[in-house]
């Protein structure tokens, strides 16, 4: 069952119960009030009749020592006749509870007389046919006689009004429930509209439409739930996009890796087959062997770079406080044999909290790429500056530069801007991918500023405030 129908059903049940109990209480309260008034009037009437009977008995000629039955009957007739317009009925019994006089239609039983004494007036409500009466009883003292005086007062109108009240209230309740059902249906539909919109949004997202968003229709808790749902949908869409990008990157990586393997393997197999299938002169043999050696070295370099990327992703680096001068001196020693390029070193002294070997790998790769992008005799600048956020390393060349649309792609594995130029220098497009992985470990990233035909500046910032591994463990 839908939530709106449940809300509507329970609302109708609550309204029906509320109307039922309140109507019963109201009608019954009016009935009890009217009935109490009638009882009071009946008892008062009984008292008046008793007083009138006693007064009339005193006026009877005293021929006898006690009041005679005939006189009692005559007094009773006079009392009944005097109240004929009130619907009064009475009955008088003697000391032995034998009826001396009874009005026509007086059908009450004599059980009540057993509970009546000189100090107590009794009453009860009885039903005779379709009518209701208040039956009262009391003892009358008249000339040394104790007589029982009973009256019947017709109160059928009170019961009729109660039945009429219940009938009217039932009709009003049914009408109010019908109107309430219509109103509650509209209210339930309005209240559950955000839920329906959220349900539609979940179905759309389940069908693959992650860009679909639920419409906010209020500022209450359901409105806030809609906002939270949309935020969750945005996060889900972003994560799905990242997963798709990662999946596409893996597919591109596998394709590029297969392509990069195919080219050197084809050369190696072709020249190896030439060497084994025919007899070549010494020059061609050396040339073939050189091709095999060159392509083999390229495969070796590519496998080492791939291994370094895996280590950078899954290894646990050990950060140490390293003087930057040691890093730049290592680079000088590393590239001093390269006489084709002119290297310029400018750096501020200081210390950085890094994994020294990994940062050296980043700087070597950046210098190697700068050399590949530059013509022989060009200047390559290597520097470092102290900044407020930390220490920034920089490698700048004056080579071919990189197009703006290529800048975001060059850190992907096997991506090469100029493939022919890179392969001619044993490049596989893995150096900058390795740099990106290492810098991610150091909570940094590679920043590239390049202009076609003018050169490229690559830099990264090592943030200040990093603690050594030992300090981190001790602080725990």
């Amino acid at each position: 069952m839908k939530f709106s129908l449940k809300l509507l059903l329970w609302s109708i049940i609550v309204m029906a119960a509320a109307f039922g109990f309140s109507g019963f209480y109201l009608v019954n309260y009016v009935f009890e009030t009217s009935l109490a008034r009638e009882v009071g009037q009946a008892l008062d009437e009984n008292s008046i009749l008793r007083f009138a009977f006693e007064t009339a008995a005193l006026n009877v000629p005293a021929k006898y020592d006690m009041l005679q039955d005939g006189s009692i009957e005559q007094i009773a007739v006079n009392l009944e006749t005097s109240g004929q317009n009130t619907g009064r009925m009475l009955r008088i019994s003697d000391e032995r509870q034998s009826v001396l006089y009874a009005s026509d239609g007086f059908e009450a039983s004599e059980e009540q007389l057993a509970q009546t004494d000189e100090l107590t007036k009794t009453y009860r409500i009885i039903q005779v046919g379709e009518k209701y009466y208040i039956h009262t009883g009391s003892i009358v003292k008249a000339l040394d006689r104790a007589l029982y005086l009973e009256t019947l007062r017709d109160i059928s109108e009170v019961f009729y009004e109660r039945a009429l009240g219940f009938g009217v209230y039932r009709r009003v309740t049914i009408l109010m429930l019908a109107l309430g059902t219509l109103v509650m249906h509209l209210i339930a539909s309005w209240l559950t509209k955000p839920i329906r919109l959220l349900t539609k949004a979940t179905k759309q997202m389940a069908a693959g439409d992650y860009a679909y968003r639920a419409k906010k229709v209020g500022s209450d808790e359901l409105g806030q739930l809609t906002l939270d749902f949309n935020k969750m949908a945005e996060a889900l869409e972003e994560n799905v996009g990242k997963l798709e990008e990662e999946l596409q990157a893996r597919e591109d990586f596998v394709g590029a890796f297969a392509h990069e393997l195919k080219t050197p393997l084809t050369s190696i197999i072709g020249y190896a087959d030439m060497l084994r299938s025919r007899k070549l002169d010494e020059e061609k043999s050396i040339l073939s062997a050189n091709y095999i050696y060159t392509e083999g070295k390229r495969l070796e370099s590519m496998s080492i770079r791939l291994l370094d990327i895996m280590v950078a992703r899954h290894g646990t680096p050990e950060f140490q406080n390293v003087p930057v001068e040691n890093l730049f001196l290592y680079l000088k020693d590393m590239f001093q044999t390269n006489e084709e390029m002119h290297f310029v070193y400018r750096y501020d002294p200081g210390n950085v909290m890094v994994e020294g070997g990994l940062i050296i790998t980043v700087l070597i790769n950046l210098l190697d790429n700068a050399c590949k992008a530059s013509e022989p005799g060009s200047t390559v600048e290597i520097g470092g500056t102290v900044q407020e956020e930390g220490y920034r390393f920089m490698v700048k060349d004056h080579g071919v530069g990189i197009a703006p649309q290529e800048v975001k792609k060059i850190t992907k594995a096997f991506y090469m801007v100029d493939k022919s130029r890179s392969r001619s220098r044993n490049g596989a497009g893995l150096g900058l991918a390795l740099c990106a992985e290492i810098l991610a470990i150091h909570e940094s990233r590679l920043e590239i500023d390049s202009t076609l035909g003018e050169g490229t500046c690559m830099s990264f910032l090592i943030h200040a405030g990093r603690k050594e591994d030992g300090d981190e463990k001790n602080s725990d």
Side-chain angles (χ1 to χ4, degrees), residues 59 70 73 85 126-127 175 183 232 278 291 297 363 370:
N59 294 327
E73 182 178 356
N85 294 330
I126 62 173
Q127 182 178 5
L175 178 61
V183 174
M232 180 194 70
R278 67 184 70 175
Y291 274 118
K297 291 295 289 183
L363 293 172

Side-chain angles (χ1 to χ4, degrees), residues 421-439:
R421 184 184 184 96
S422 299
R423 287 199 181 96
S424 66
R425 302 194 180 190
N426 291 330
L430 294 172
L432 293 181
L434 175 60
C435 292
E437 294 290 342
I438 293 175
L439 292 178

Side-chain angles (χ1 to χ4, degrees), residues 15-27 161-177:
M15 284 193 300
F19 280 124
F21 284 115
S22 61
F24 175 82
Y25 175 78
L26 178 61
V27 174
E161 289 177 355
R162 183 180 69 167
L164 181 62
F166 279 129
V168 171
Y169 199 82
R170 277 194 296 269
R171 290 191 291 272
V172 171
T173 299
I174 292 174
L175 178 61
M176 293 301 295
L177 285 177

Side-chain angles (χ1 to χ4, degrees), residues 1-30:
M1 183 182 292
K2 293 183 178 181
F3 178 74
S4 58
L5 294 180
K6 288 182 180 180
L7 183 61
L8 177 61
L9 177 61
W10 280 106
S11 299
I12 294 173
I13 292 174
V14 171
M15 284 193 300
F19 280 124
F21 284 115
S22 61
F24 175 82
Y25 175 78
L26 178 61
V27 174
N28 203 55
Y29 175 78
V30 174

Side-chain angles (χ1 to χ4, degrees), residues 260-452:
E260 291 299 324
L261 283 179
K262 179 181 178 181
T263 302
L265 286 176
T266 300
S267 300
I268 291 173
I269 293 172
Y271 283 107
D273 182 63
M274 186 183 299
L275 287 174
R276 75 177 182 84
S277 61
R278 67 184 70 175
K279 186 171 183 171
L280 302 175
D281 55 35
E282 183 177 359
E283 181 180 355
K284 289 184 178 180
S285 297
I286 294 175
L287 183 61
S288 298
N290 183 62
Y291 274 118
I292 294 174
Y293 175 79
T294 302
E295 294 301 316
K297 291 295 289 183
R298 193 154 77 88
L299 285 176
E300 179 187 35
S301 175
M302 184 168 60
S303 63
I304 291 174
R305 291 290 176 84
L306 285 174
L307 182 61
D308 288 341
I309 291 176
M310 296 303 294
V311 170
R313 286 180 178 177
H314 304 290
T316 303
E318 297 181 0
F319 296 107
Q320 296 178 347
N321 197 11
V322 179
V324 296
E325 187 176 4
N326 294 347
L327 301 177
F328 288 108
L329 290 177
Y330 184 89
L331 294 176
K332 285 182 180 180
D333 294 338
M334 185 75 177
F335 286 88
Q336 66 180 352
T337 58
N338 188 338
E339 298 179 354
E340 293 183 355
M341 309 301 297
H342 177 60
F343 297 99
V344 176
Y345 295 86
R346 298 188 183 91
Y347 56 89
D348 298 333
N351 294 340
V352 288
M353 191 62 63
V354 295
E355 209 287 356
L358 294 179
I359 293 299
I360 285 293
T361 300
V362 173
L363 293 172
I364 289 175
N365 277 287
L366 295 182
L367 273 174
D368 186 54
N369 280 347
C371 293
K372 292 176 181 179
S374 303
E375 297 296 332
S378 299
T379 299
V380 176
E381 302 176 23
I382 308 99
T385 56
V386 176
Q387 297 182 355
E388 184 177 354
E389 300 86 356
Y391 197 93
R392 181 172 294 279
F393 292 88
M394 178 271 297
V395 175
K396 183 177 181 181
D397 65 67
H398 301 275
V400 294
I402 306 171
Q405 64 270 19
E406 306 285 345
V407 170
K408 295 183 179 179
K409 304 177 183 179
I410 61 175
T411 55
K412 295 181 180 180
F414 296 110
Y415 187 84
M416 292 176 285
V417 178
D418 189 347
K419 296 185 178 180
S420 61
R421 184 184 184 96
S422 299
R423 287 199 181 96
S424 66
R425 302 194 180 190
N426 291 330
L430 294 172
L432 293 181
L434 175 60
C435 292
E437 294 290 342
I438 293 175
L439 292 178
I441 295 173
H442 290 79
E443 299 178 0
S444 182
R445 62 186 181 87
L446 193 62
E447 299 178 24
I448 303 173
D449 182 16
S450 182
T451 304
L452 279 175

Side-chain angles (χ1 to χ4, degrees), residues 162-233:
R162 183 180 69 167
L164 181 62
F166 279 129
V168 171
Y169 199 82
R170 277 194 296 269
R171 290 191 291 272
V172 171
T173 299
I174 292 174
L175 178 61
M176 293 301 295
L177 285 177
L179 294 176
T181 300
L182 177 61
V183 174
M184 284 306 303
H185 176 69
L186 297 176
I187 294 175
S189 299
W190 176 68
L191 289 176
T192 57
K193 184 177 180 181
I195 299 178
R196 294 196 301 273
L197 294 176
L198 287 175
T199 301
K200 181 180 179 181
T202 55
K203 290 181 179 180
Q204 290 289 116
M205 295 184 67
D209 187 6
Y210 299 107
Y212 189 86
R213 296 293 181 269
K215 181 181 178 181
K216 181 184 176 184
V217 293
S219 301
D220 54 4
E221 290 83 353
L222 289 177
Q224 184 60 44
L225 178 62
T226 302
L227 290 178
D228 295 339
F229 178 86
N230 288 337
K231 290 180 181 178
M232 180 194 70

